[in-house]
């Protein structure tokens, strides 16, 4: 593991597994279990600050019985804030009170906003590390220069939920960003990969690409502790072939009224009837009407009968096949990565020996 990572997050085991801070789904129950398993738990609650405070209070209690963690000056987990919609003043007072180890920023209207937020957070809680999620090499460099974050999360186009409308997968994003950052004096900035990672094979690949850790969102939606609607979860478990069953589109943000998201963003979700209508040229007013009817019809619009609500999911959804406790997911993925890397290393060294013969 990167030595900066060991110092900044000493409870963490290598390889570093992080649950994505997913609004609504990633509460304190999920985040604390991920942290207790030696990963980095993230709470998603960028919109409702009262809810965030309640989640942090419960997380603090839950982690207090873990001596390795309660002795720390920060709460060993992260929270996320979306500068285009979160309330900075309220967020700052919550951060000052609970001192989360990490504040993850994403989806600012303009990158300058990240600088304002980073400064304000660091003034209130200097121990809190700032992670910023971006989806292009250009954004990575710009944000590194503007904010000097503690970690950059590189989000590839396979990611579930919101992300850059124009993007590449982590396969090219991570190594190119690493090269460009290094060439510009940011070679020490730890990079974490996100997007389409749902098991040990993906995470091992992310490490090979140059990431020091891996974020999984969709995989953790199927964790027992995630607050995922039962029909939403059933749809995820049923979905196969992420290339066909998921799609990036802006229509998912238009279902309840005009989108409030910054122009740069769309989102990846299951290709439900709302998407199919949009692709067929059905007017957005009609799509909204049908969406409303599906919600009123039961199952919150996630049910098989008439799936119309946004089921955010990454391209890795086809390899998410079961519900497990979050700690088990963390340990299973970690062990799989260790197995893969040691097998590769053993076969590379034996092949190396053969070629010398
Ligand atoms: C249901 C869902 C909700 C999400 N909500 C947020 C959020 O509130 N804030 C955020 O920064 N990212 C959010 N994301 C994106 C994640 O940060 C991350 O990039 C993504 O989950 C990684 O891709 P994967 O789902 O394929 O693992 C969300 C993703 C999903 C699937």
């Amino acid at each position: 593991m990167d030595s900066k990572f060991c110092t900044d997050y000493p409870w963490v085991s290598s390889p570093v597994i992080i649950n994505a801070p997913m609004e609504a789904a990633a509460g304190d129950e999920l985040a604390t279990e991920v942290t207790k398993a030696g990963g980095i738990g993230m709470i998603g609650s960028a919109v409702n600050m009262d809810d965030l405070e309640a989640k942090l209070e419960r997380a603090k209690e839950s982690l207090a019985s873990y001596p390795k963690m309660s002795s720390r000056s920060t709460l060993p987990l992260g929270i996320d804030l979306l500068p285009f919609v979160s309330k900075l003043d309220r967020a700052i007072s919550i951060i000052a009170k609970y001192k989360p180890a990490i504040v993850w920023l994403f989806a600012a209207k303009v990158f300058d906003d990240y600088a304002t937020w980073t400064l304000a957070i660091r003034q209130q809680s200097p121990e809190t590390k700032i992670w910023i999620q971006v989806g292009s090499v250009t954004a990575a460099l710009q944000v590194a220069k503007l904010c000097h974050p503690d970690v950059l999360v590189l989000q590839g186009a396979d990611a579930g939920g919101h992300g850059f409308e124009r993007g590449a997968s982590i396969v090219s994003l991570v190594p190119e960003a690493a090269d460009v950052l290094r060439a510009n004096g940011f070679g020490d900035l730890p990079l974490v990969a996100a997007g389409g990672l749902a098991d040990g094979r993906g995470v091992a690949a992310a490490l090979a690409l140059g990431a020091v850790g891996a974020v999984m969102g969709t995989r953790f939606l199927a964790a027992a502790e995630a607050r995922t609607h039962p029909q939403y979860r059933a749809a995820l478990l049923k979905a196969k072939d992420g290339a066909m069953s998921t799609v990036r589109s802006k229509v998912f943000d238009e279902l309840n009224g005009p989108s409030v998201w910054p122009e740069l963003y769309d989102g990846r979700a299951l290709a439900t009837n709302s998407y199919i209508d949009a692709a067929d040229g059905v007017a957005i007013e009609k799509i909204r009407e049908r969406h409303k009817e599906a919600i009123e019809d039961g199952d919150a619009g996630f049910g098989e009968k008439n799936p119309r609500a946004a089921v955010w999911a990454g391209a890795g959804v086809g390899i998410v096949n079961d519900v497990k406790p979050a700690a088990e997911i963390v340990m299973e993925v970690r062990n799989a990565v260790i197995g893969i890397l040691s097998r590769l290393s053993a076969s590379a060294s034996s092949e190396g020996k053969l070629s010398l013969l």
Side-chain angles (χ1 to χ4, degrees):
M1 192 182 359
D2 177 90
S3 60
K4 226 166 155 199
F5 241 77
C6 302
T7 333
D8 290 347
Y9 321 100
W11 72 90
V12 161
S13 300
S14 179
V16 186
I17 311 293
I18 303 134
N19 77 270
M22 298 175 282
E23 183 70 31
D28 49 292
E29 306 86 348
L30 178 66
T32 52
E33 285 308 299
V34 171
T35 284
K36 285 174 192 171
I40 299 185
M42 292 278 178
I43 294 178
S45 190
V47 181
N48 184 336
M49 292 292 129
D50 287 340
D51 207 26
L52 174 58
E53 188 153 13
K55 287 172 181 169
L56 285 171
E57 191 59 45
R58 287 194 300 269
K60 194 173 152 192
E61 263 172 50
S62 166
L63 294 170
S65 52
Y66 280 69
K68 198 169 148 195
M69 294 169 193
S70 59
S71 57
R72 295 179 41 76
S73 62
T74 56
L75 193 60
L77 46 67
I79 63 166
D80 85 308
L81 298 171
L82 308 178
F84 86 93
V85 72
S86 304
K87 300 278 173 282
L88 180 59
D89 287 353
R90 185 75 206 285
I92 289 294
S93 69
I94 294 173
I95 292 164
K97 183 170 172 194
Y98 291 96
K99 299 208 175 296
I102 297 156
V103 173
W104 159 308
L105 302 175
F106 180 51
K109 255 191 195 124
V110 289
F111 293 153
D112 281 342
D113 290 346
Y114 288 132
T116 312
W117 284 58
T118 300
L119 186 68
I121 295 164
R122 284 184 172 150
Q123 273 170 355
Q124 279 300 321
S125 180
E127 311 92 325
T128 295
K129 303 295 175 197
I130 306 289
W131 292 26
I132 303 180
Q133 179 169 246
V134 292
S136 73
V137 175
T138 309
L141 182 58
Q142 246 177 298
V143 164
K145 285 181 178 168
L146 275 171
C147 312
H148 294 266
D150 298 288
V151 167
L152 267 179
V153 182
L154 297 174
Q155 186 197 40
D158 290 328
H162 291 91
F164 282 22
E165 184 180 19
R166 285 183 64 186
S169 85
I170 59 163
V171 173
S172 59
L173 176 62
V174 174
E176 188 184 347
D179 289 348
V180 169
L181 289 165
R182 192 175 311 109
N184 283 274
F186 295 100
D188 288 341
L189 177 51
L191 304 176
V192 158
L197 306 173
D199 67 10
R201 294 168 293 185
V203 175
L207 300 183
L209 293 167
V212 297
V215 175
M216 297 193 296
T218 306
R219 180 64 190 102
F220 281 111
L221 287 175
E225 297 84 353
R227 299 179 184 185
T228 312
H229 187 285
Q231 254 69 40
Y232 186 128
R233 184 172 284 162
L236 288 182
L237 295 174
K238 192 165 173 243
K240 295 287 160 265
D241 189 352
M244 297 304 290
S245 59
T246 70
V247 68
R248 299 202 72 89
S249 174
K250 281 182 184 282
V251 75
F252 304 118
D253 286 319
E254 296 280 342
L255 298 178
N256 294 304
S259 170
V260 294
W261 276 79
E263 194 47 40
L264 192 61
Y265 296 85
D266 67 358
R268 184 178 288 278
L270 294 187
T272 50
N273 291 347
S274 297
Y275 169 75
I276 293 165
D277 277 357
D280 285 347
V282 176
I284 190 63
E285 293 75 19
K286 190 76 202 161
I287 296 174
R288 283 182 192 141
E289 211 176 284
R290 290 175 178 171
H291 173 249
K292 193 163 171 269
E293 283 164 13
I295 288 178
E296 286 164 359
D297 209 16
D299 294 344
F302 298 128
E304 272 188 57
K305 204 169 52 170
N306 189 8
R308 289 197 164 266
V311 180
W312 306 109
V317 70
I319 47 173
V320 175
N321 297 315
D322 50 13
V323 177
K324 281 188 178 151
E328 219 174 297
I329 296 176
V330 173
M331 287 185 268
E332 192 178 277
V333 172
R334 192 190 293 144
N335 289 337
V337 174
I338 293 168
I340 291 166
L341 296 182
S342 48
R343 269 199 312 279
L344 288 175
S345 151
S347 81
S349 53
S350 69
E351 277 165 24
K353 272 186 210 137
L354 281 177
S355 66
L356 288 175
L357 290 175

